[in-house]
Amino acid sequence: MKRNLGRRDFLKLAGMASAGVLFPSFFRLLEPVVPAAAGGKNVLVVVFDAFSAYHISLHGYGRKTTPNIDKLAERAVVYHNHFASANFSTPGTASLLTGVLPWKHRAMNLYETVDASYLNRNIFSAFDDYYRIAYSHNPLVTAFLDQFAPDLNDYIPLDQLLITSDGLVDKLFKHDADTATIAWSRVMKNGETGFSYSLLLWSLYNEYQKSRIGDLGSLFPLGLPAVRYDNYFTLEQAVDWLGAQVEKIPQPFLGYFHFMPPHDPYRTRQDFYNRFLNDDLKWIQKPPDIFTRSSGDMKYMQANCKRYDEFILYVDDQFKKLMDRLESSGLLQDTWVVLTSDHGELFERSIVGHGDPSLYQGVVRVPLMIFEPGRTTRTDIYSLTSAADVLPTLLYVAKAQNAAWSEGVVLPPFSKEPSDPNRKIYTMKLLEPAKGAPITNATLAQVKGNYKLIYYFGYKELNLKDHVELYDIVADPEELHDLYPSRKALGNQLLSELKAKLAEINKPYL
Ligand SMILES: [Zn+2]
């Protein structure tokens, strides 16, 4: 493995100077080169990571988490039954970027990128006559931006919108970022383990970090929002930067911006902290999950849920700020704005977070709102929609083109075709198949009409045989009553449809 610098040398060096001082020129990878075509409307995709529709007041949540988004929705197309393609960032985001589900793009594991066949079938290559700009707080997503960099005019490095960062480590150990980050953390931080391998370096580093954060610390009672432990950022900084940037770049532009909140750690700003303390949210105790086999520690789940909901208030506040700025600059009149997420978050059945084998509604139902240029009224869409629909819809409305490869459809009300009431929506957790191998271990959910079938298979390590659950998500949106034992005929019919689809997906890999 080729490295720019030995780790020992690097750590010595890092003790003496800051990242910016040492390597100021690392932070701009690609200079804008291609002028954009004139005429079309801009497209701005804003993704807030791990933003569950279940926790949005607009969608009926018991806490007023999104007062501003609720108001903004009065001028948007609002999708009420929108599904992420997966339950964590890598597969979920790849579907937004490629218009296909994880079983096709094959980005299934942490830091994995999409199958090479999507290098010329993605949102950036599809908008090749636009000025294309992208940024992500989430390193799992920057893996895709690295992959698609040849199709970006302006690829903003992750570090650029961080107040403090480990970016130097990533740059120096480009092919070994994970191990290098661990080594860096062990010496320089007292992180999750509570101790550092070097007391001297840690205490120097700690003082240095504090000096970089400055007065901002007092605005965030739980600490500053962060990625990878102490790479601090604020959403204000990111949103201000984005607002200023889109006013400067050539039009029409396609912007993809992926911000970390409300992903954990849930660290809201002072003015939203404890907003939901001791409120009267009705807590619903849910049956055990097949994996956790527990209904959970209610106090622990409630405490985390409260912090998450308060973090959503911060997202809501900053999204409004962005939209206000787009409006006052006049850009909103010429820009399609999409608000969505890569997956949701769970606080039920002993599960706090996302990414485990379960696919309950909280982790797969996400917001989708489309702000059409010049629209002054709200349109509510209740049909089932998928993350795979975002790309074909944008390509259709902005450029009148089809994404022939996509598994998604052009969404109502923009499509000329009526919605198919029997359309099946899929969301999934795929476990570790190589890119060229069939899927043999997964949780797949199929949603059709009122029914959601969840099929777990191949979990040998838990000695779990195939397991099926069936919910009527209209009559029982909390998924409290598994209908599979009592409605076997319906369940097995839906299961055979899902297995037929899986066989079709696996066929090229057999
Ligand atoms: Zn995510």
PDB file of all heavy atoms in Angstrom, residues 37 72 86 94-95 130 141 182 200-201 250 253 260-261 285 303 310 315 320 345 347-348 352 426 430 492 499:
ATOM      1  N   ALA A  37     -24.979  24.894 -19.676  1.00  0.00           N
ATOM      2  CA  ALA A  37     -25.886  25.293 -20.745  1.00  0.00           C
ATOM      3  C   ALA A  37     -26.890  26.319 -20.221  1.00  0.00           C
ATOM      4  O   ALA A  37     -27.204  26.333 -19.038  1.00  0.00           O
ATOM      5  CB  ALA A  37     -26.630  24.061 -21.243  1.00  0.00           C
ATOM      6  N   LEU A  72     -43.686  25.824   5.015  1.00  0.00           N
ATOM      7  CA  LEU A  72     -43.114  25.816   3.659  1.00  0.00           C
ATOM      8  C   LEU A  72     -43.864  24.837   2.759  1.00  0.00           C
ATOM      9  O   LEU A  72     -43.990  25.048   1.557  1.00  0.00           O
ATOM     10  CB  LEU A  72     -41.627  25.434   3.722  1.00  0.00           C
ATOM     11  CG  LEU A  72     -40.696  26.493   4.311  1.00  0.00           C
ATOM     12  CD1 LEU A  72     -39.346  25.881   4.664  1.00  0.00           C
ATOM     13  CD2 LEU A  72     -40.513  27.651   3.332  1.00  0.00           C
ATOM     14  N   ALA A  86     -33.350   1.814   1.703  1.00  0.00           N
ATOM     15  CA  ALA A  86     -32.559   1.009   2.636  1.00  0.00           C
ATOM     16  C   ALA A  86     -32.581   1.678   4.001  1.00  0.00           C
ATOM     17  O   ALA A  86     -33.207   2.719   4.171  1.00  0.00           O
ATOM     18  CB  ALA A  86     -31.126   0.892   2.124  1.00  0.00           C
ATOM     19  N   ALA A  94     -27.067   5.935  -2.323  1.00  0.00           N
ATOM     20  CA  ALA A  94     -26.737   5.470  -3.682  1.00  0.00           C
ATOM     21  C   ALA A  94     -27.997   5.373  -4.539  1.00  0.00           C
ATOM     22  O   ALA A  94     -27.944   5.600  -5.751  1.00  0.00           O
ATOM     23  CB  ALA A  94     -26.011   4.132  -3.615  1.00  0.00           C
ATOM     24  N   SER A  95     -29.132   5.060  -3.938  1.00  0.00           N
ATOM     25  CA  SER A  95     -30.379   5.005  -4.712  1.00  0.00           C
ATOM     26  C   SER A  95     -30.824   6.398  -5.153  1.00  0.00           C
ATOM     27  O   SER A  95     -31.334   6.567  -6.262  1.00  0.00           O
ATOM     28  CB  SER A  95     -31.495   4.336  -3.906  1.00  0.00           C
ATOM     29  OG  SER A  95     -31.192   2.969  -3.735  1.00  0.00           O
ATOM     30  N   TYR A 130     -25.437  20.709 -17.178  1.00  0.00           N
ATOM     31  CA  TYR A 130     -25.622  21.620 -16.044  1.00  0.00           C
ATOM     32  C   TYR A 130     -24.279  21.823 -15.341  1.00  0.00           C
ATOM     33  O   TYR A 130     -23.363  21.002 -15.467  1.00  0.00           O
ATOM     34  CB  TYR A 130     -26.601  21.017 -15.028  1.00  0.00           C
ATOM     35  CG  TYR A 130     -28.065  21.294 -15.282  1.00  0.00           C
ATOM     36  CD1 TYR A 130     -28.627  21.124 -16.548  1.00  0.00           C
ATOM     37  CD2 TYR A 130     -28.890  21.711 -14.244  1.00  0.00           C
ATOM     38  CE1 TYR A 130     -29.981  21.373 -16.762  1.00  0.00           C
ATOM     39  CE2 TYR A 130     -30.243  21.962 -14.451  1.00  0.00           C
ATOM     40  CZ  TYR A 130     -30.783  21.794 -15.715  1.00  0.00           C
ATOM     41  OH  TYR A 130     -32.112  22.032 -15.913  1.00  0.00           O
ATOM     42  N   VAL A 141     -20.989   9.097   2.212  1.00  0.00           N
ATOM     43  CA  VAL A 141     -21.523   9.696   0.979  1.00  0.00           C
ATOM     44  C   VAL A 141     -20.401  10.319   0.148  1.00  0.00           C
ATOM     45  O   VAL A 141     -20.445  10.295  -1.084  1.00  0.00           O
ATOM     46  CB  VAL A 141     -22.633  10.715   1.328  1.00  0.00           C
ATOM     47  CG1 VAL A 141     -23.128  11.436   0.091  1.00  0.00           C
ATOM     48  CG2 VAL A 141     -23.787  10.004   2.036  1.00  0.00           C
ATOM     49  N   ILE A 182      -8.141   5.600  12.905  1.00  0.00           N
ATOM     50  CA  ILE A 182      -8.109   4.929  14.214  1.00  0.00           C
ATOM     51  C   ILE A 182      -6.799   5.274  14.930  1.00  0.00           C
ATOM     52  O   ILE A 182      -6.787   5.635  16.110  1.00  0.00           O
ATOM     53  CB  ILE A 182      -8.262   3.393  14.048  1.00  0.00           C
ATOM     54  CG1 ILE A 182      -9.673   3.072  13.530  1.00  0.00           C
ATOM     55  CG2 ILE A 182      -7.998   2.667  15.362  1.00  0.00           C
ATOM     56  CD1 ILE A 182      -9.828   1.664  13.006  1.00  0.00           C
ATOM     57  N   LEU A 200       0.273  13.594  26.537  1.00  0.00           N
ATOM     58  CA  LEU A 200       0.770  14.907  26.134  1.00  0.00           C
ATOM     59  C   LEU A 200       0.085  15.365  24.843  1.00  0.00           C
ATOM     60  O   LEU A 200      -0.464  16.466  24.774  1.00  0.00           O
ATOM     61  CB  LEU A 200       2.291  14.854  25.933  1.00  0.00           C
ATOM     62  CG  LEU A 200       2.897  16.158  25.405  1.00  0.00           C
ATOM     63  CD1 LEU A 200       2.732  17.292  26.402  1.00  0.00           C
ATOM     64  CD2 LEU A 200       4.370  15.968  25.048  1.00  0.00           C
ATOM     65  N   LEU A 201       0.119  14.515  23.835  1.00  0.00           N
ATOM     66  CA  LEU A 201      -0.466  14.909  22.549  1.00  0.00           C
ATOM     67  C   LEU A 201      -1.959  15.156  22.687  1.00  0.00           C
ATOM     68  O   LEU A 201      -2.509  16.092  22.123  1.00  0.00           O
ATOM     69  CB  LEU A 201      -0.207  13.835  21.485  1.00  0.00           C
ATOM     70  CG  LEU A 201       1.189  13.827  20.897  1.00  0.00           C
ATOM     71  CD1 LEU A 201       1.338  12.665  19.922  1.00  0.00           C
ATOM     72  CD2 LEU A 201       1.509  15.137  20.214  1.00  0.00           C
ATOM     73  N   PRO A 250     -22.532  29.245 -12.062  1.00  0.00           N
ATOM     74  CA  PRO A 250     -23.285  29.352 -13.316  1.00  0.00           C
ATOM     75  C   PRO A 250     -24.616  28.608 -13.241  1.00  0.00           C
ATOM     76  O   PRO A 250     -24.745  27.627 -12.520  1.00  0.00           O
ATOM     77  CB  PRO A 250     -22.361  28.675 -14.342  1.00  0.00           C
ATOM     78  CG  PRO A 250     -21.009  28.650 -13.717  1.00  0.00           C
ATOM     79  CD  PRO A 250     -21.226  28.573 -12.248  1.00  0.00           C
ATOM     80  N   PHE A 253     -27.803  25.041 -12.587  1.00  0.00           N
ATOM     81  CA  PHE A 253     -26.934  24.160 -11.815  1.00  0.00           C
ATOM     82  C   PHE A 253     -27.724  22.984 -11.261  1.00  0.00           C
ATOM     83  O   PHE A 253     -28.948  23.062 -11.099  1.00  0.00           O
ATOM     84  CB  PHE A 253     -26.247  24.921 -10.670  1.00  0.00           C
ATOM     85  CG  PHE A 253     -27.194  25.534  -9.665  1.00  0.00           C
ATOM     86  CD1 PHE A 253     -27.838  24.770  -8.694  1.00  0.00           C
ATOM     87  CD2 PHE A 253     -27.429  26.911  -9.671  1.00  0.00           C
ATOM     88  CE1 PHE A 253     -28.700  25.346  -7.783  1.00  0.00           C
ATOM     89  CE2 PHE A 253     -28.306  27.497  -8.751  1.00  0.00           C
ATOM     90  CZ  PHE A 253     -28.928  26.718  -7.810  1.00  0.00           C
ATOM     91  N   MET A 260     -25.509  16.343   7.777  1.00  0.00           N
ATOM     92  CA  MET A 260     -25.573  15.275   8.771  1.00  0.00           C
ATOM     93  C   MET A 260     -26.788  15.337   9.699  1.00  0.00           C
ATOM     94  O   MET A 260     -27.397  14.294   9.951  1.00  0.00           O
ATOM     95  CB  MET A 260     -24.279  15.273   9.578  1.00  0.00           C
ATOM     96  CG  MET A 260     -23.911  13.927  10.118  1.00  0.00           C
ATOM     97  SD  MET A 260     -23.709  12.693   8.813  1.00  0.00           S
ATOM     98  CE  MET A 260     -22.888  11.401   9.722  1.00  0.00           C
ATOM     99  N   PRO A 261     -27.139  16.487  10.291  1.00  0.00           N
ATOM    100  CA  PRO A 261     -28.314  16.435  11.176  1.00  0.00           C
ATOM    101  C   PRO A 261     -29.565  15.970  10.423  1.00  0.00           C
ATOM    102  O   PRO A 261     -29.686  16.285   9.235  1.00  0.00           O
ATOM    103  CB  PRO A 261     -28.481  17.907  11.608  1.00  0.00           C
ATOM    104  CG  PRO A 261     -27.135  18.527  11.400  1.00  0.00           C
ATOM    105  CD  PRO A 261     -26.552  17.827  10.206  1.00  0.00           C
ATOM    106  N   GLN A 285     -45.700   1.497  23.360  1.00  0.00           N
ATOM    107  CA  GLN A 285     -44.869   0.316  23.617  1.00  0.00           C
ATOM    108  C   GLN A 285     -45.117  -0.706  22.510  1.00  0.00           C
ATOM    109  O   GLN A 285     -46.256  -1.081  22.260  1.00  0.00           O
ATOM    110  CB  GLN A 285     -45.247  -0.271  24.986  1.00  0.00           C
ATOM    111  CG  GLN A 285     -44.281  -1.291  25.513  1.00  0.00           C
ATOM    112  CD  GLN A 285     -42.974  -0.667  26.016  1.00  0.00           C
ATOM    113  OE1 GLN A 285     -42.947   0.481  26.433  1.00  0.00           O
ATOM    114  NE2 GLN A 285     -41.887  -1.431  25.962  1.00  0.00           N
ATOM    115  N   ALA A 303     -35.454   8.991  26.049  1.00  0.00           N
ATOM    116  CA  ALA A 303     -34.455  10.062  26.192  1.00  0.00           C
ATOM    117  C   ALA A 303     -33.783  10.342  24.852  1.00  0.00           C
ATOM    118  O   ALA A 303     -33.592  11.503  24.464  1.00  0.00           O
ATOM    119  CB  ALA A 303     -33.411   9.657  27.232  1.00  0.00           C
ATOM    120  N   GLU A 310     -35.476  17.090  19.169  1.00  0.00           N
ATOM    121  CA  GLU A 310     -34.976  18.461  19.358  1.00  0.00           C
ATOM    122  C   GLU A 310     -33.921  18.817  18.305  1.00  0.00           C
ATOM    123  O   GLU A 310     -33.787  19.983  17.920  1.00  0.00           O
ATOM    124  CB  GLU A 310     -34.422  18.624  20.782  1.00  0.00           C
ATOM    125  CG  GLU A 310     -35.549  18.637  21.815  1.00  0.00           C
ATOM    126  CD  GLU A 310     -35.091  18.517  23.263  1.00  0.00           C
ATOM    127  OE1 GLU A 310     -33.876  18.355  23.502  1.00  0.00           O
ATOM    128  OE2 GLU A 310     -35.963  18.583  24.155  1.00  0.00           O
ATOM    129  N   VAL A 315     -32.787  21.344  12.328  1.00  0.00           N
ATOM    130  CA  VAL A 315     -32.873  21.120  10.876  1.00  0.00           C
ATOM    131  C   VAL A 315     -33.974  21.997  10.285  1.00  0.00           C
ATOM    132  O   VAL A 315     -33.786  22.690   9.274  1.00  0.00           O
ATOM    133  CB  VAL A 315     -33.169  19.627  10.578  1.00  0.00           C
ATOM    134  CG1 VAL A 315     -33.522  19.409   9.115  1.00  0.00           C
ATOM    135  CG2 VAL A 315     -31.989  18.751  10.984  1.00  0.00           C
ATOM    136  N   LYS A 320     -35.519  26.427   6.793  1.00  0.00           N
ATOM    137  CA  LYS A 320     -36.281  27.672   6.545  1.00  0.00           C
ATOM    138  C   LYS A 320     -35.331  28.803   6.166  1.00  0.00           C
ATOM    139  O   LYS A 320     -35.583  29.558   5.228  1.00  0.00           O
ATOM    140  CB  LYS A 320     -37.094  28.069   7.783  1.00  0.00           C
ATOM    141  CG  LYS A 320     -37.865  29.367   7.573  1.00  0.00           C
ATOM    142  CD  LYS A 320     -38.427  29.919   8.873  1.00  0.00           C
ATOM    143  CE  LYS A 320     -39.316  31.138   8.714  1.00  0.00           C
ATOM    144  NZ  LYS A 320     -38.834  32.178   7.845  1.00  0.00           N
ATOM    145  N   GLU A 345     -34.858   6.726  11.330  1.00  0.00           N
ATOM    146  CA  GLU A 345     -34.249   6.400  12.618  1.00  0.00           C
ATOM    147  C   GLU A 345     -35.315   5.701  13.462  1.00  0.00           C
ATOM    148  O   GLU A 345     -36.497   6.015  13.346  1.00  0.00           O
ATOM    149  CB  GLU A 345     -33.803   7.720  13.281  1.00  0.00           C
ATOM    150  CG  GLU A 345     -32.852   7.582  14.436  1.00  0.00           C
ATOM    151  CD  GLU A 345     -31.389   7.397  14.015  1.00  0.00           C
ATOM    152  OE1 GLU A 345     -31.146   6.788  12.960  1.00  0.00           O
ATOM    153  OE2 GLU A 345     -30.506   7.851  14.759  1.00  0.00           O
ATOM    154  N   PHE A 347     -36.702   4.309  17.346  1.00  0.00           N
ATOM    155  CA  PHE A 347     -36.672   4.342  18.811  1.00  0.00           C
ATOM    156  C   PHE A 347     -37.766   3.391  19.286  1.00  0.00           C
ATOM    157  O   PHE A 347     -38.800   3.809  19.792  1.00  0.00           O
ATOM    158  CB  PHE A 347     -36.932   5.769  19.324  1.00  0.00           C
ATOM    159  CG  PHE A 347     -35.960   6.773  18.779  1.00  0.00           C
ATOM    160  CD1 PHE A 347     -36.229   7.450  17.598  1.00  0.00           C
ATOM    161  CD2 PHE A 347     -34.758   7.009  19.421  1.00  0.00           C
ATOM    162  CE1 PHE A 347     -35.326   8.352  17.072  1.00  0.00           C
ATOM    163  CE2 PHE A 347     -33.844   7.915  18.902  1.00  0.00           C
ATOM    164  CZ  PHE A 347     -34.120   8.586  17.724  1.00  0.00           C
ATOM    165  N   GLU A 348     -37.565   2.140  19.060  1.00  0.00           N
ATOM    166  CA  GLU A 348     -38.596   1.163  19.421  1.00  0.00           C
ATOM    167  C   GLU A 348     -37.986  -0.226  19.515  1.00  0.00           C
ATOM    168  O   GLU A 348     -36.953  -0.511  18.909  1.00  0.00           O
ATOM    169  CB  GLU A 348     -39.725   1.158  18.377  1.00  0.00           C
ATOM    170  CG  GLU A 348     -39.282   0.841  16.960  1.00  0.00           C
ATOM    171  CD  GLU A 348     -40.400   1.000  15.931  1.00  0.00           C
ATOM    172  OE1 GLU A 348     -40.782   2.146  15.630  1.00  0.00           O
ATOM    173  OE2 GLU A 348     -40.878  -0.035  15.443  1.00  0.00           O
ATOM    174  N   VAL A 352     -32.317   1.692  18.893  1.00  0.00           N
ATOM    175  CA  VAL A 352     -32.135   3.142  18.814  1.00  0.00           C
ATOM    176  C   VAL A 352     -31.125   3.385  17.710  1.00  0.00           C
ATOM    177  O   VAL A 352     -29.975   2.971  17.803  1.00  0.00           O
ATOM    178  CB  VAL A 352     -31.649   3.728  20.158  1.00  0.00           C
ATOM    179  CG1 VAL A 352     -31.229   5.187  20.007  1.00  0.00           C
ATOM    180  CG2 VAL A 352     -32.755   3.619  21.209  1.00  0.00           C
ATOM    181  N   TYR A 426     -40.039  -1.371  -2.770  1.00  0.00           N
ATOM    182  CA  TYR A 426     -39.125  -2.247  -2.034  1.00  0.00           C
ATOM    183  C   TYR A 426     -38.141  -1.418  -1.225  1.00  0.00           C
ATOM    184  O   TYR A 426     -37.651  -0.380  -1.679  1.00  0.00           O
ATOM    185  CB  TYR A 426     -38.328  -3.129  -3.003  1.00  0.00           C
ATOM    186  CG  TYR A 426     -39.193  -3.954  -3.916  1.00  0.00           C
ATOM    187  CD1 TYR A 426     -39.439  -3.537  -5.220  1.00  0.00           C
ATOM    188  CD2 TYR A 426     -39.789  -5.134  -3.464  1.00  0.00           C
ATOM    189  CE1 TYR A 426     -40.237  -4.278  -6.068  1.00  0.00           C
ATOM    190  CE2 TYR A 426     -40.597  -5.884  -4.305  1.00  0.00           C
ATOM    191  CZ  TYR A 426     -40.822  -5.451  -5.606  1.00  0.00           C
ATOM    192  OH  TYR A 426     -41.622  -6.189  -6.440  1.00  0.00           O
ATOM    193  N   LEU A 430     -29.301  -5.439   2.845  1.00  0.00           N
ATOM    194  CA  LEU A 430     -28.598  -6.561   2.219  1.00  0.00           C
ATOM    195  C   LEU A 430     -27.301  -6.796   2.972  1.00  0.00           C
ATOM    196  O   LEU A 430     -26.593  -5.849   3.303  1.00  0.00           O
ATOM    197  CB  LEU A 430     -28.289  -6.238   0.753  1.00  0.00           C
ATOM    198  CG  LEU A 430     -29.469  -5.778  -0.107  1.00  0.00           C
ATOM    199  CD1 LEU A 430     -28.995  -5.424  -1.514  1.00  0.00           C
ATOM    200  CD2 LEU A 430     -30.546  -6.855  -0.165  1.00  0.00           C
ATOM    201  N   ASN A 492     -48.651 -15.342   2.154  1.00  0.00           N
ATOM    202  CA  ASN A 492     -47.886 -16.220   1.260  1.00  0.00           C
ATOM    203  C   ASN A 492     -47.991 -15.787  -0.203  1.00  0.00           C
ATOM    204  O   ASN A 492     -47.046 -15.955  -0.967  1.00  0.00           O
ATOM    205  CB  ASN A 492     -48.324 -17.676   1.435  1.00  0.00           C
ATOM    206  CG  ASN A 492     -47.775 -18.242   2.752  1.00  0.00           C
ATOM    207  OD1 ASN A 492     -46.756 -17.760   3.253  1.00  0.00           O
ATOM    208  ND2 ASN A 492     -48.466 -19.223   3.307  1.00  0.00           N
ATOM    209  N   LYS A 499     -40.559 -13.194  -3.633  1.00  0.00           N
ATOM    210  CA  LYS A 499     -39.531 -14.185  -3.990  1.00  0.00           C
ATOM    211  C   LYS A 499     -39.315 -14.214  -5.508  1.00  0.00           C
ATOM    212  O   LYS A 499     -38.178 -14.416  -5.976  1.00  0.00           O
ATOM    213  CB  LYS A 499     -39.932 -15.579  -3.481  1.00  0.00           C
ATOM    214  CG  LYS A 499     -39.704 -15.735  -1.987  1.00  0.00           C
ATOM    215  CD  LYS A 499     -40.027 -17.157  -1.547  1.00  0.00           C
ATOM    216  CE  LYS A 499     -39.636 -17.383  -0.096  1.00  0.00           C
ATOM    217  NZ  LYS A 499     -40.053 -18.714   0.378  1.00  0.00           N
TER     218      LYS A 499
END
